[in-house]
Amino acid sequence: MKRVLVTGGSGFIGSHLCERLLKEGNDVICLDNFFTGQKQNVAHLIGSPYFELVRHDVIQPYYAEVDEIYNLACPASPVHYQYNPIKTVKTSVMGAINMLGLAKRIKAKILQASTSEVYGDPKVHPQQEAYWGNVNPIGLRSCYDEGKRCAETLFMDYHRQNGVKIKIVRIFNTYGPRMFMNDGRVVSNFVVQALRNEDITIYGDGSQTRSFQYVDDLVEGMMRLMNTPDDFTGPVNIGNPGEFTIKELAEKVIALTGSRSKLVYHPLPSDDPTQRRPDITLACERLQWKPVVQLEEGLKKTIAYFEEELRRER
Ligand code: NAD
Ligand code: UDP
């Protein structure tokens, strides 16, 4: 039995990861400050003798004896990470320093949840890990993008300087059940708007693209990466190469929900990337991983989740 620490464990992705780690017989510590995560996401795991929920902020040092650390603590939705941008940078940078310091001290393996945002508004398409990106260092998204880039730097430096066993995963847009309803991200916004027959808010003209991966595929990829030999650090892209315009996504959601919603257009937020699609050659080769849930199937499961959430609200 491995002892595993998941920071940001009560968030959307973290809760699925904790669930899967428990299912596979691990002893899990879920650490979270509940900024965007909710206890409700892991309520069904409380009671297991192998699950512990700890309220803690990664900006402060934390100590526990574990074998592996998944460092996910950080708000991921633009609305939330821009709410308190200084805190977002602190969470990424000081959180990485604290967790890497812990990993060094207890000789644990540590995985960083990085992001496709390190590629910024990419000039290379699809994005390969070797691409250095096109990031605005002083814009509204910079607190997240540059915070995550600095965290990658810290991971590599702790590895080179102190021999810490590290893994870096660059996660592309992920969706699924337990996304926060008011999270502001596109899939949750569109699905909830469609189910309520409210206007679907497209930012810009809807021609910008994203590649959406279902959360179960991501969790599988992250766990495979954690189990690779120590000399393989990544970064590795984990995402679904199926690429859609935001308008196509809106139309798909309307079709799948049978909604009466209309599309309405709002201004495009600053520095919103125009295109995004992962090159997953490295993940295929090194992790024998590729996504198995395609958009329509994943959206159906997500719609079913939000239907239930909305029913509970009434
Ligand atoms: P989320 O907001 O649902 O989860 C983040 C979790 O971190 C929340 O539970 C939040 O309360 C917690 N947290 C935030 N600041 C903290 C702090 N200072 N101390 C302790 N806990 C803190 O977002 P998510 O979608 O589950 O994202 C999880 C991770 O994956 C994040 O690091 C995010 O950057 C990364 N990621 C997500 C996506 C995506 O599409 N969902 C894409 C790329 C990268
Ligand atoms: N978006 C949109 N309507 C919304 C929410 C988001 O058109 O209600 C767009 C947003 O401008 C971006 C894309 O959808 O182009 C993905 O946004 P999200 O916030 O989910 O993720 P990110 O921009 O970080 O990839």
Side-chain angles (χ1 to χ4, degrees), residues 141-155:
R141 293 175 87 100
S142 315
C143 59
Y144 183 74
D145 300 8
E146 298 289 17
K148 289 284 187 180
R149 284 168 69 96
C150 184
E152 286 200 9
T153 308
L154 285 162
F155 268 68

Side-chain angles (χ1 to χ4, degrees), residues 11-122:
F12 157 54
I13 296 171
S15 64
H16 287 274
L17 179 63
C18 287
E19 192 175 274
R20 176 79 191 274
L21 285 166
L22 270 180
K23 208 174 274 173
E24 301 208 347
N26 299 289
D27 194 332
V28 177
I29 302 176
C30 166
L31 180 154
D32 209 294
N33 71 348
F34 304 115
F35 173 48
T36 50
Q38 303 168 82
K39 276 189 200 158
Q40 199 192 314
N41 284 341
V42 289
H44 60 298
L45 307 179
I46 297 171
S48 159
Y50 304 110
F51 182 77
E52 267 173 89
L53 180 58
V54 177
R55 182 190 290 266
H56 184 82
D57 194 308
V58 290
I59 287 177
Q60 305 299 332
Y62 175 76
Y63 186 84
E65 288 284 345
V66 293
D67 304 298
E68 293 177 352
I69 304 168
Y70 288 85
N71 188 36
L72 273 64
C74 185
S77 148
V79 176
H80 287 130
Y81 69 65
Q82 288 170 24
Y83 171 74
N84 184 346
I86 297 168
K87 172 86 189 198
T88 300
V89 175
K90 285 185 181 173
T91 295
S92 274
V93 176
M94 292 162 72
I97 291 171
N98 285 327
M99 289 306 130
L100 283 160
L102 175 63
K104 178 184 162 191
R105 189 163 164 196
I106 61 175
K107 298 189 169 34
K109 218 186 316 182
I110 179 165
L111 179 146
Q112 167 66 0
S114 191
T115 168
S116 52
E117 285 284 318
V118 300
Y119 302 121
D121 190 3

Side-chain angles (χ1 to χ4, degrees), residues 76-79 81 115-117 141 144 173-174 179 183-190 193 200-204 206 208-210 212 246-247 249 264 266-269 271-274 276:
S77 148
V79 176
Y81 69 65
T115 168
S116 52
E117 285 284 318
R141 293 175 87 100
Y144 183 74
N173 294 63
T174 304
M179 288 185 93
D183 183 271
R185 281 182 277 191
V186 70
V187 174
S188 43
N189 271 11
F190 284 6
Q193 288 162 347
I200 304 251
T201 53
I202 293 191
Y203 303 160
Q208 71 272 37
T209 67
R210 293 292 186 275
F212 299 100
I246 293 304
K247 187 156 181 259
L249 176 73
V264 296
H266 290 282
L268 190 66
D271 296 336
D272 199 288
T274 48
R276 187 180 285 158

Side-chain angles (χ1 to χ4, degrees), residues 84-312:
N84 184 346
I86 297 168
K87 172 86 189 198
T88 300
V89 175
K90 285 185 181 173
T91 295
S92 274
V93 176
M94 292 162 72
I97 291 171
N98 285 327
M99 289 306 130
L100 283 160
L102 175 63
K104 178 184 162 191
R105 189 163 164 196
I106 61 175
K107 298 189 169 34
K109 218 186 316 182
I110 179 165
L111 179 146
Q112 167 66 0
S114 191
T115 168
S116 52
E117 285 284 318
V118 300
Y119 302 121
D121 190 3
K123 301 287 179 223
V124 170
H125 195 70
Q127 292 78 54
Q128 293 175 335
E129 290 84 352
Y131 178 48
W132 291 355
N134 175 38
V135 176
N136 176 359
I138 56 169
L140 294 178
R141 293 175 87 100
S142 315
C143 59
Y144 183 74
D145 300 8
E146 298 289 17
K148 289 284 187 180
R149 284 168 69 96
C150 184
E152 286 200 9
T153 308
L154 285 162
F155 268 68
M156 290 307 299
D157 285 337
Y158 269 78
H159 175 65
R160 285 186 288 244
Q161 198 175 326
N162 299 123
V164 175
K165 294 175 201 160
I166 64 143
K167 312 282 175 190
I168 300 171
V169 55
R170 290 186 180 152
I171 302 170
F172 282 66
N173 294 63
T174 304
Y175 68 97
R178 301 201 201 117
M179 288 185 93
F180 190 40
M181 203 182 299
N182 304 320
D183 183 271
R185 281 182 277 191
V186 70
V187 174
S188 43
N189 271 11
F190 284 6
V191 169
V192 171
Q193 288 162 347
L195 290 174
R196 288 178 170 153
N197 292 307
E198 291 171 355
D199 288 343
I200 304 251
T201 53
I202 293 191
Y203 303 160
D205 63 5
S207 63
Q208 71 272 37
T209 67
R210 293 292 186 275
S211 303
F212 299 100
Q213 95 178 304
Y214 189 66
V215 63
D216 290 355
D217 283 333
L218 169 64
V219 168
E220 178 66 32
M222 288 168 85
M223 289 176 64
R224 285 191 188 210
L225 174 59
M226 187 61 112
N227 291 324
T228 51
D230 289 346
D231 63 354
F232 183 67
T233 59
V236 186
N237 290 338
I238 296 287
N240 190 320
E243 183 181 1
F244 298 87
T245 67
I246 293 304
K247 187 156 181 259
E248 282 170 342
L249 176 73
E251 284 160 354
K252 243 183 209 310
V253 169
I254 290 179
L256 290 172
T257 50
S259 173
R260 298 190 299 280
S261 294
K262 299 275 169 290
L263 306 186
V264 296
Y265 293 85
H266 290 282
L268 190 66
S270 67
D271 296 336
D272 199 288
T274 48
Q275 54 181 358
R276 187 180 285 158
R277 171 155 58 103
D279 179 323
I280 57 165
T281 312
L282 187 63
C284 291
E285 280 172 11
R286 297 302 301 254
L287 316 180
Q288 288 76 50
W289 174 92
K290 62 176 174 27
V292 294
V293 182
Q294 295 316 326
L295 186 59
E296 200 157 307
E297 184 190 347
L299 279 178
K300 281 183 188 162
K301 292 183 188 184
T302 310
I303 290 165
Y305 169 79
F306 280 116
E307 270 172 342
E308 187 54 38
E309 287 294 289
L310 290 173
R311 205 168 298 135
R312 219 176 291 160

